[in-house]
Each structure stands twice: as C-alpha cells, then as structure tokens.
Amino acid sequence: MLSHVHKALKEISKSNDFLQTTIDIKDIRLHFSYYKTLISHEQFHHDLLSFFQLSNGEIENVHDLKALIPIEGIKVLSNVEEIVQSLAHGSIFIQMDPSLDEGLLVDIADLKLGHRGYNDTENEYSVIGPKVGFVENIDINLSLLRRGLVTEKLIFEQHIIGSLSKTRIVIAYLEDITNPQHVNTARQRLLDLEFDVLFETSLLEQLITDNSNSPFPLFMSSERLDRVMYSMLNGEVALLCDGSPIVITAPVNLFSFIISPEDYYLPWIMGSFFRLIRYFGIAFSILATSFYVAILTFHYTVIPRDLLGPIIESRSNVPFPPLLEVLFLEITIELLREAGSRLPTKVSQTLGIVGGIILGQAAVQAALTSNILLIIVSLSALASFTTPIFKMSNTIRFLRFPLIVLASLWGGLGIMIGLMLILGHLLRLKSLGSPYIVPLFPFRHKSFNDSFIRSSFTFLSHRLSFTRPLSKKRFTVQKNKDIGDDYNNE
Amino acid sequence: MQNQVKENYTISGYFVFFLIGAPQAAAGILNFQSHVLRDAGQDSWISIILVGLSLHLIIWMIYKMLGNPAKDVIDLHRLIFGKLMGNAISLLLVGYYFIMALFYFRAYIEIIQVWVFPTVRTWAMAGLLICMIYYVVSGGFRVVAGFSFFYMALIPLLFLLYFPIRQGNIHQLLPVLNHSFLDLLKGAKSSSFIFFGLEALLIYFPFLKSPEKNVKWAHFALLFTTLKYTAMIIVTLMYFSQGLLKHTLWPTLAMSKIIELSFVARFEYFYIFMWLLVIIPTVCIPIWCCTRMMKRVAALQPRLSLPFILAALFIAALTVNERIQIDVLEKYINEIGFYFIFAYIPLLFIINTVALKLKSNVDKSFKDG
C-alpha cells in the first residue's frame, strides 16, 4: 500500500527536472525529492548533506533530522497538497521511509536564479536623486522597501494569486498612517480575483481597478524606490507582484502623475517652476493641434491680421484640409515613437534623426504639410514626453486624437465638448474608492500646497488629505538657529 | 425622516456657493442688459442690487424651512398639504424645472447658431449636447456638483472687462437716481431672471453636509452674483449708448469683440465656447432635480426617467425654433420664475411657519392637558 505522497510525487516526476534520489549516509537511507531547476545546489550540498554527515547521534525519525539542520523554514509535513505546493516553490522533500506520508520539507529555493541584482531607473529618469529601482524579484523589492522605511509599522501582507502562476502579491502599507479602509479595499479586490497567470503589476492594476473603461491610469505605477516610498508615507497602499519591477500604489489623484521626485530634491522655486512647465506641456500637447484644426477649418477670424498672413502663406501649397494634414503628421510622430520603443536603443537613435529631421523636412517640401504645423506637432510631441509617468503620458498622447476629430467637426465648440466629456469622466473616476481630481473636486484648498506648485517644506509638513491618513503630521520644519533674521546686524 | 441621503452621496456644505453661482452665471450674462434697461435706464444697476439684496431674505427662508432636519421641498409639501396633495404640487415643480432647463438649453443653441455656425441644424446641436448632459447627469449629483465648480475657471474672463472700460464713458451713468422708485422696482422685477437657478436648492438641500453651518456660502454666492452683474451692467452702460443698447441682442458679446491681442482676436468665440462650462451645470442641475423628484414622488428610477426627460427636452428644443418663439419663452420663463421665487417660496415659508406653530401649540396642549 503506497502513501498518497508517494503517488503524488510519482505524478510530478513525469517532469524532467523533478528528481527523486536516495543518498546513503552512514547506515540510513534518505530519499530526496526536488526540482533541480528551483533549488540552490550550493545550499543543498553545504547546508543539508554536510550536516547529515557530521551528525553523531542516532537518527530514528524525521524529527531527529530536523534537529540536525540549522536552516529556517523547515517543516515536518504529511499534507500532500502543501508538499506539492512547496516543492513548486523550491523546497526539498526528505523522507526516511517513502511508504509513509510524513517527511521533512526544507526551503532552499535559489532566490537569485533568473533575476537581475539591480535596476537603474531608466524609464523614470531623474538627474538628481537615487537611481535605485525595483527588480523582478519580490524579495529584493521588499528588502529595498524595508531598508528604506525603517519602522516596525511597515506591514507586508502576502496573498497568492493566479491559478497557474501562484504569484506572490504583497500589499505594503504603513500602519497608523494608511487608512485601513484602503487596505481593506485592496485586499478584498485581490481576494475576489480569479486569474491564471499574473505577469505584471500593470496587469493586476487593470484587474482590480475601479474603472477598466478609462484611458486614465487609476493606480500610480513606478519603478522608482523613492517614489513608492513617498506614496506610502503619504498614506497610500503599495502593491508588489513577484516577477514585476513595477510597483503600483493607490489611491492617487490626477495631479500626482505630474509630480516628479526631482521636484522635492530641487529648491521649491525650481521644483514649482518645472512642475508648472509640465502642466503647460500637458495643456499644449492636448490642445495645440486641435486648436490648429479648429481655427483653420472654422474660425480663422480669431487670428489677428498680421499673423494670418504667414499662416496662410505656409499653407498655400498644401492641398489637404487641416484635419488630414494634422492627422498625417500626428500619426507619423506616433509611428516614430512606437518604432523607437520597439527597437534597440542604438538603432532607435538613428531612427529618430531619420524620422524627425528628414521626414519632417521632406513632408514640408513635398507640400504635404505646412511649416507651422510641423512646429506645432513636434512641439506637442515633445511636450507630451514631459509627463514623468509613462502611463499618463500615453493617456495624454491618446486624448488629442478624439479632440482633433471633434475640432474638425464643430470647431472650438467641438474642442470644448471634448474637454467637457473628459472633465465629466474625470469627475466620475475613483481610485481605490477615492475621488480622482481631488484638490479641485472635492475642493481642498490645503492640498494646493503640493499640486500645481511644490511649495516650501514649511508648508508641506502635513500629509495630503485625499488619502485620509490616520496621522496628518509628517514633520516639523524648524528654522536653523544660527541664521538670524535681524537685518541690523546687531 | 424618510429617504435620508446616504453619507457618501452628500457633498460639502460650502459647495452651495458653486451650485448657486453657476446657474446664475449662465442666466443670460451674455444678454441680460437689454431686459434690465427697459424700465430703469441708467439706474438699472440699482435695480440689480435691490433684487440681489432681497434674495438674501429668500435664501434665509429656504434654509429656515428646509433645515433641522434637512429635507427637500417634497417632504415639505407632504408635511404641509398631506401626501396626495403634496405629491401633486411636487409634480408641478417637475414641469417648472424642466422649462428652466429647456430655456437655457435652447438659448445656448441659439447663440451658437447666431454667432458661430449659422448653418448648423438645431437637432444636431441639441443631440450633441443632450449626449453630454446624459453623461453628466447619469454620474449622479456629485458629478453635477463637481461640474458646477468649474465655472470658476471663467472668472478670469471678467478681467477682460478692462477693455470696454477703457473705451467707456462714465458720464453715461449720470444722472443717478432720476427714475422713480416704482421704475426701479419694475426694473428689479425684469432683472430678477439673472438670479434664477437658486430655487434648485429646494431639491438638493438634503445633499449638503451640515447645511446650516454653511449658509454663509449661499449668501456669498448671491453677493458674488450681484456684484458681478452690477459690474457688468455698469460697464455696459459706460460702453454703449442706451439707444444702441435697445438694438443690441447680446451686449456682452458685442463688447468682447473689440478685444484684440497680438495672437488672438474675436474674443467672443472664447466667451461662447467657454460658456459651455456654465451651460452644462445650469441645464444639468434642473434635469437632475426632475429625475430626483420623479424618483421621490412617483418612485420612477432615474435610469428610466432620465432618457425620458432628455427625449422630451430634445423634442421641446426642436419645437422652439424661431427668435420670436424663444423670446416668448423667455418672457414666460421670467414671469413664472419671478413668481416662483418671490411669491411661492415666501408663501410656503409662511404656511410652514404657521403650521409648525399650530403643531407645537397642539403638542403643548397635549402635554399640558
């Protein structure tokens, strides 16, 4: 009569990398079962086998074995399911008698296998500030967070999700700061989730988002350690997924996507200035080309006489209506961008030069577009890349297309209707149950310290209220005592 | 109280500032001058101040009779007139709010047709706007209220009044007060329509968080509107001669035509397009009120009633098709709006106070006896 465990192991051993070996140590015969692709062989030989060999005492059952090995994560188990699970995660199963269910389960998974050790924050670059980013291995990510936020209040809560991938998802938050309501919402959505393989946190984001039919990202996704830490200390919940170098945090508002960590590393005047430039860039990028279409199709009287001359002149040879002209150039830019992101870095640089300079010049000379439009389109493409978060910059690039079409149909009214629809959509959106455009609606005048501008740290001593944190105060800024404010030098 | 509004659907009490302000900004800021001038001439700014001040009393009445505990006018009707009669009166109000919405809706389409797209069909414009209104109203009261906040984005446009002021002549305001008090009152009556929109407070009152504490914001909204319109009328009087004003249909737009910067001219287009930001909440608030009342009185789900109301709005907007018809509609609206605010609300207030007094007396006598 064979044991259940034996049968289960037999079933798994169909797989080539599953090994079942017996090793004789002194007079005992030990049966090992493991995936050779998952365990650390070094640990197996050094930490396991050597200790068995060195032992002097009598070994009668697996409990004696357990006492011999100085490794954490050892369990004596007889539950088939749990054993199979642990084997799939890199444990080794040791039995003395294969006919019994009971055996020793030792976790010697090779954590470094198939993972990079470090990550430059290439996609969210900042000139000043740490360049440490998250990697694919969740344990390294967790230790990065643990080392960054040195407090016992940092809580990691693990869930296993994915019927095929059994991915480890970790909810990270700061107790006593994060509103437990957010943690509960996030946990509940995770528990309700049924999916096969979770490749990425961005995938997870779409599954647990508040509104999956929105072009706007409702979770902040970042690969920067400092950014995620900043979100967490403001009372947001972070979600990490094994196998993904991106961490998502929520609840967020629209304006946090325009914030770059660099704003806080530069003096507040510079930080605010750059942030305002980014807002201008977004407005320009969304509206510039649709304004061009609306004005040249319907409202050319809006242009003063002196300016009308050059515009008409540059368009005089173009045979197309403004809509086609704009769409042609916008799609060209989108093609360049898409091709650039699919190519290796070195090739894409060449492509940028070929596409940007040669194509643009040629298009104007061939009278496919006007000079002025070429300037507007390339400027708005440039402006769309100022957004620090990739997903938001995608959204902004996408939004201009419906606006261009609306502008060609109803001119300025069309643009306004498009903007109203976007506004109505934004008003409806919620991120993890919190309103999305929060300092504006619901109106929170205190949060304006850190939305459109980044004011001095004297005014930033409190957490943003939209996350409804349990403790509001972050720090106190004291005036440096050696700096006197007596301008009479007395 | 029955049908208490759930906490997470309520909005902060100070939002009443925007909810009152936005519809009042739409109520003909582009063309109110010619109506106001008819009776009081160059003194019509006094008339506007008079109406504005008297409306503070109305707001006080509304807060007094609806507060403690917060209820809407439907509850009040039931309380005073009994269930059947009260519901019937509430249903009449549905018609009132619908006509209000219709007027602003049609007026905006007319401006588009006159100033921007002379060839556009009414049905096309109406269909487009109705899709938007549906999207906003189906988001619930929070979205409607949120929209009304964004009319603040138009406040900077007020600074453009600088250009007509530069061209204006202060002597056209003189002589001050050469109209009789009766004329001023007549002017006040005909200018009362610029303050329409505050009566929607009767319906959304229970959606405000701690309304009594935030009553000052309602007064601020009113004060702001009064000041805004007073400034507008003074500038208009300075810029136009009164003879010219009688023949100008949209004086505000005509004034904005003179603005020319180095990169942009024809500012009235900006006014008209930006006005959508005000028109949408102005139409959406009454429409929302209609759905709310139908739900409370006839237990009709907004999911059903909203398409029905919007279809009615669409058809009604198509039937009002000419300038004369719109004019008639406007006169009609001005009349019923005036009597609704200045007669019906005080009447309701008095009946309510008397009823409360009687009730408390009865209660007292019960206790004493």
Side-chain angles (χ1 to χ4, degrees):
Chain A
M1 161 88 193
L2 282 167
S3 66
H4 292 292
V5 171
H6 190 85
K7 259 191 262 173
L9 292 181
K10 189 118 189 155
E11 194 67 20
I12 311 175
S13 62
K14 273 192 275 185
S15 177
N16 181 38
D17 61 340
F18 187 74
L19 294 187
Q20 284 185 295
T21 51
T22 51
I23 298 175
D24 292 319
I25 300 169
K26 292 177 191 165
D27 49 348
I28 323 157
R29 167 161 291 192
L30 291 174
H31 302 262
F32 295 90
S33 322
Y34 57 92
Y35 283 100
K36 68 171 180 190
T37 41
L38 289 177
I39 63 152
S40 154
H41 292 271
E42 195 189 327
Q43 235 184 338
F44 180 40
H45 290 116
H46 285 252
D47 297 348
L48 271 181
L49 293 181
S50 58
F51 280 106
F52 290 144
Q53 272 160 350
L54 287 174
S55 70
N56 293 324
E58 276 294 295
I59 299 172
E60 281 178 357
N61 55 20
V62 283
H63 291 280
D64 293 338
L65 270 182
K66 187 183 173 188
L68 282 177
I69 318 166
I71 306 180
E72 47 154 356
I74 307 175
K75 280 177 269 182
V76 177
L77 272 179
S78 53
N79 181 343
V80 181
E81 261 178 45
E82 207 168 328
I83 291 168
V84 173
Q85 278 284 338
S86 309
L87 283 173
H89 277 114
S91 290
I92 190 164
F93 188 58
I94 309 167
Q95 281 173 302
M96 294 186 69
D97 182 357
S99 60
L100 286 179
D101 269 346
E102 200 176 47
L104 195 63
L105 208 54
V106 188
D107 183 9
I108 50 167
D110 190 350
L111 296 175
K112 291 188 203 82
L113 213 62
H115 288 302
R116 25 178 197 167
Y118 67 96
N119 181 16
D120 275 347
T121 53
E122 273 173 16
N123 300 322
E124 286 176 66
Y125 193 76
S126 73
V127 181
I128 305 171
K131 315 258 181 311
V132 185
F134 292 107
V135 292
E136 281 79 356
N137 185 344
I138 195 169
D139 289 304
I140 296 177
N141 292 348
L142 291 178
S143 84
L144 282 174
L145 276 179
R146 179 67 72 188
R147 261 180 270 166
L149 298 164
V150 188
T151 163
E152 75 282 1
K153 302 288 183 205
L154 177 63
I155 308 288
F156 295 144
E157 183 185 314
Q158 182 170 303
H159 296 276
I160 306 287
I161 296 186
S163 55
L164 286 179
S165 63
K166 303 275 186 275
T167 312
R168 291 162 64 198
I169 310 279
V170 170
I171 307 175
Y173 60 95
L174 288 166
E175 214 177 20
D176 293 352
I177 291 174
T178 310
N179 196 320
Q181 207 181 332
H182 302 318
V183 183
N184 290 341
T185 316
R187 184 188 301 127
Q188 195 52 49
R189 287 191 193 170
L190 280 181
L191 291 178
D192 293 343
L193 194 62
E194 254 182 66
F195 205 66
D196 52 354
V197 180
L198 279 172
F199 295 100
E200 245 281 320
T201 30
S202 308
L203 194 81
L204 180 71
E205 178 193 327
Q206 291 171 53
L207 295 170
I208 62 170
T209 181
D210 299 62
N211 180 355
S212 53
N213 302 322
S214 171
F216 288 92
L218 297 176
F219 282 77
M220 170 74 69
S221 49
S222 176
E223 57 172 5
R224 287 184 70 102
L225 176 64
D226 53 353
R227 187 171 197 120
V228 170
M229 274 162 53
Y230 183 73
S231 303
M232 285 177 69
L233 64 87
N234 266 321
E236 293 177 23
V237 178
L239 289 171
L240 295 91
C241 170
D242 198 13
S244 165
I246 286 175
V247 176
I248 54 176
T249 57
V252 284
N253 62 358
L254 180 66
F255 304 97
S256 37
F257 289 94
I258 289 95
I259 294 173
S260 159
E262 222 171 8
D263 297 350
Y264 300 99
Y265 303 148
L266 292 167
W268 73 268
I269 297 176
M270 300 316 290
S272 304
F273 176 64
F274 291 139
R275 200 178 278 183
L276 284 176
I277 285 198
R278 258 174 257 140
Y279 277 103
F280 171 75
I282 289 167
F284 188 86
S285 161
I286 292 181
L287 292 174
T289 40
S290 44
F291 268 24
Y292 180 86
V293 172
I295 286 173
L296 285 183
T297 315
F298 297 103
H299 321 298
Y300 43 84
T301 47
V302 167
I303 312 171
R305 205 184 319 124
D306 300 341
L307 192 60
L308 196 60
I311 291 179
I312 297 289
E313 203 176 307
S314 91
R315 250 188 71 79
S316 57
N317 287 326
V318 181
F320 307 119
L323 173 70
L324 287 184
E325 192 191 354
V326 166
L327 280 184
F328 168 72
L329 260 193
E330 285 283 9
I331 288 170
T332 310
I333 295 263
E334 289 301 304
L335 284 177
L336 274 174
R337 196 201 60 79
E338 189 62 20
S341 62
R342 301 278 158 265
L343 285 171
T345 327
K346 279 170 190 152
V347 187
S348 70
Q349 275 174 6
T350 327
L351 184 91
I353 294 167
V354 172
I357 300 171
I358 302 178
L359 258 182
Q361 273 301 317
V364 171
Q365 274 170 8
L368 290 175
T369 65
S370 66
N371 268 320
I372 288 187
L373 181 64
L374 190 67
I375 296 169
I376 293 175
V377 168
S378 35
L379 267 182
S380 68
L382 198 65
S384 76
F385 293 121
T386 55
T387 317
I389 298 291
F390 181 66
K391 280 182 188 163
M392 192 42 107
S393 117
N394 281 348
T395 308
I396 286 160
R397 280 209 322 277
F398 164 75
L399 284 181
R400 72 172 79 134
F401 285 97
L403 285 179
I404 288 171
V405 174
L406 281 172
S408 77
L409 291 174
W410 292 291
L413 185 72
I415 296 177
M416 208 56 205
I417 284 175
L419 289 178
M420 296 280 99
L421 281 177
I422 293 171
L423 183 63
H425 181 65
L426 285 174
L427 280 167
R428 288 170 151 225
L429 283 185
K430 294 211 158 161
S431 162
L432 216 60
S434 301
Y436 194 52
I437 49 170
V438 75
L440 287 179
F441 180 75
F443 190 73
R444 298 270 178 274
H445 65 94
K446 276 183 193 147
S447 302
F448 277 95
N449 289 339
D450 192 9
S451 54
F452 291 102
I453 59 162
R454 194 287 271 183
S455 38
S456 150
F457 279 114
T458 326
F459 300 105
L460 297 183
S461 55
H462 287 77
R463 296 192 167 84
L464 294 177
S465 60
F466 77 90
T467 54
R468 281 173 285 141
L470 296 185
S471 83
K472 297 233 162 60
K473 188 95 177 158
R474 252 182 80 196
F475 54 77
T476 14
V477 178
Q478 278 177 340
K479 209 166 179 198
N480 294 328
K481 290 195 179 64
D482 54 326
I483 303 174
D485 53 358
D486 179 13
Y487 44 79
N488 281 338
N489 303 323
E490 275 169 14
Chain B
M1 204 86 250
Q2 51 179 332
N3 256 327
Q4 201 76 46
V5 177
K6 278 199 201 109
E7 169 79 19
N8 53 338
Y9 291 113
T10 56
I11 54 168
S12 302
Y14 66 83
F15 240 84
V16 76
F17 180 81
F18 310 112
L19 281 167
I20 290 182
Q24 288 184 340
I29 203 165
L30 301 180
N31 68 342
F32 72 102
Q33 292 97 332
S34 39
H35 299 271
V36 179
L37 275 170
R38 222 172 288 139
D39 296 302
Q42 82 275 21
D43 285 335
S44 47
W45 55 275
I46 302 172
S47 303
I48 290 180
I49 292 178
L50 276 180
V51 197
L53 290 181
S54 66
L55 274 169
H56 286 287
L57 195 68
I58 303 286
I59 284 190
W60 175 80
M61 284 178 184
I62 294 178
Y63 269 78
K64 197 80 188 166
M65 66 185 173
L66 292 186
N68 265 341
K71 51 189 169 291
D72 54 15
V73 77
I74 303 157
D75 286 325
L76 200 69
H77 282 157
R78 281 183 193 157
L79 226 61
I80 297 174
F81 304 112
K83 192 158 185 201
L84 201 69
M85 187 70 182
N87 279 355
I89 294 174
S90 302
L91 273 182
L92 280 180
L93 285 191
V94 175
Y96 173 78
Y97 286 110
F98 178 77
I99 291 177
M100 280 289 157
L102 171 69
F103 171 63
Y104 295 124
F105 184 69
R106 189 62 191 87
Y108 187 68
I109 293 176
E110 192 203 8
I111 291 174
I112 295 283
Q113 282 171 329
V114 171
W115 285 84
V116 192
F117 300 119
T119 53
V120 78
R121 302 265 171 234
T122 311
W123 61 264
M125 214 74 260
L128 192 69
L129 291 175
I130 275 179
C131 290
M132 265 192 68
I133 293 165
Y134 178 81
Y135 188 68
V136 175
V137 177
S138 61
F141 185 65
R142 283 182 65 93
V143 175
V144 175
F147 241 100
S148 63
F149 165 74
F150 285 93
Y151 100 95
M152 295 307 279
L154 299 183
I155 299 304
L157 286 185
L158 278 180
F159 291 106
L160 293 176
L161 285 179
Y162 164 74
F163 291 92
I165 286 175
R166 213 173 44 174
Q167 310 259 325
N169 184 358
I170 192 97
H171 297 295
Q172 294 191 14
L173 288 176
L174 301 176
V176 181
L177 273 179
N178 76 332
H179 288 77
S180 70
F181 191 64
L182 200 66
D183 276 346
L184 287 182
L185 281 187
K186 267 189 201 157
K189 187 192 168 208
S190 56
S191 61
S192 63
F193 78 99
I194 58 183
F195 294 96
F196 289 178
L198 107 158
E199 68 275 14
L201 185 60
L202 291 173
I203 308 297
Y204 60 68
F205 192 83
F207 281 79
L208 304 171
K209 245 179 242 165
S210 56
E212 283 91 358
K213 257 186 232 161
N214 291 295
V215 63
K216 59 171 187 270
W217 289 105
H219 289 293
F220 280 148
L222 196 59
L223 196 65
F224 180 57
T225 309
T226 313
L227 291 178
K228 195 167 57 188
Y229 277 101
T230 313
M232 295 278 298
I233 192 93
I234 287 176
V235 174
T236 315
L237 285 168
M238 280 162 65
Y239 184 75
F240 291 97
S241 71
Q242 285 190 41
L244 185 59
L245 257 183
K246 280 193 185 112
H247 301 285
T248 314
L249 279 175
W250 286 278
T252 312
L253 290 178
M255 278 196 299
S256 61
K257 272 178 93 158
I258 57 157
I259 305 167
E260 190 169 331
L261 303 176
S262 63
F263 55 95
V264 62
R266 295 292 297 269
F267 247 85
E268 76 270 20
Y269 281 137
F270 287 85
Y271 274 86
I272 292 169
F273 296 144
M274 297 282 269
W275 226 247
L276 195 60
L277 210 55
V278 186
I279 288 294
I280 291 295
T282 310
V283 178
C284 285
I285 291 171
I287 293 283
W288 178 85
C289 288
C290 288
T291 61
R292 171 85 185 154
M293 270 188 286
M294 282 178 148
K295 188 187 165 193
R296 299 272 274 109
V297 175
L300 201 62
Q301 282 303 309
R303 210 179 317 118
L304 298 171
S305 62
L306 181 60
F308 172 72
I309 292 170
L310 288 181
L313 187 69
F314 182 72
I315 295 164
L318 291 192
T319 51
V320 185
N321 218 357
E322 280 165 39
R323 176 68 225 166
I324 299 165
Q325 285 173 321
I326 296 170
D327 234 22
V328 170
L329 181 68
E330 195 171 353
K331 285 207 180 78
Y332 182 58
I333 291 272
N334 289 353
E335 286 294 312
I336 62 166
F338 177 78
Y339 288 114
F340 184 79
I341 292 181
F342 286 98
Y344 182 67
I345 292 176
L347 188 72
L348 205 59
F349 178 74
I350 291 164
I351 297 175
N352 182 44
T353 327
V354 171
L356 276 182
K357 261 261 154 45
L358 284 178
K359 208 177 161 203
S360 66
N361 278 347
V362 169
D363 284 351
K364 221 183 216 169
S365 59
F366 258 113
K367 268 177 206 157
D368 294 344

